[in-house]
Amino acid sequence: MADGSDTTLTAEPTTEQAPNGLVAGIRSFAAGHGGAKAVIEYVGKRGARIVLVGSDGTWGDQFADDTVVAREACAKAGVSVENAWERELMDQMRPSNDLWRSMARRTMAR
């Protein structure tokens, strides 16, 4: 019996391209909010969530099939991707009053 495996795991190159609608949505958000930064979050079978934070503090999100497609879409849209939720980026976010009310209703309903 062999001590180790003779196979190596390798990432297979993907041929998927970012959908034009996704790229257009990211570009539109960035243009409407004075530029933007993105954080990509893996959300399991659903794919990847692209959280966009505008320079004015407004934030929104888009969904992609996977993290590779999400990164490609951000690159095509000219939006830089942050590796994690840095304090400066979180301090820049300004949730709207409607969002605060929405979050309060969810907490109260539990």
Side-chain angles (χ1 to χ4, degrees):
M1 181 171 234
D3 290 336
S5 174
D6 62 351
T7 60
T8 304
L9 292 176
T10 58
E12 295 193 24
T14 60
T15 57
E16 293 183 53
Q17 292 184 350
N20 289 335
L22 178 61
V23 174
I26 295 170
R27 261 192 204 127
S28 173
F29 181 89
H33 298 285
K37 292 184 180 180
V39 177
I40 298 172
E41 301 173 338
Y42 175 71
V43 290
K45 289 182 181 179
R46 172 113 190 232
R49 179 181 184 202
I50 306 167
V51 181
L52 299 163
V53 181
S55 295
D56 62 356
T58 305
W59 61 279
D61 59 2
Q62 297 275 336
F63 281 89
D65 293 337
D66 60 30
T67 57
V68 174
V69 172
R71 286 187 181 281
E72 184 180 331
C74 289
K76 285 184 177 181
V79 172
S80 65
V81 176
E82 299 290 321
N83 289 328
W85 284 104
E86 299 293 335
R87 182 180 182 142
E88 293 80 20
L89 186 59
M90 292 184 72
D91 286 346
Q92 185 177 338
M93 295 176 76
R94 299 286 175 245
S96 68
N97 288 335
D98 292 334
L99 180 61
W100 283 117
R101 281 191 288 274
S102 169
M103 290 188 294
R105 281 194 300 268
R106 289 184 200 143
T107 303
M108 302 289 276
R110 288 184 187 175

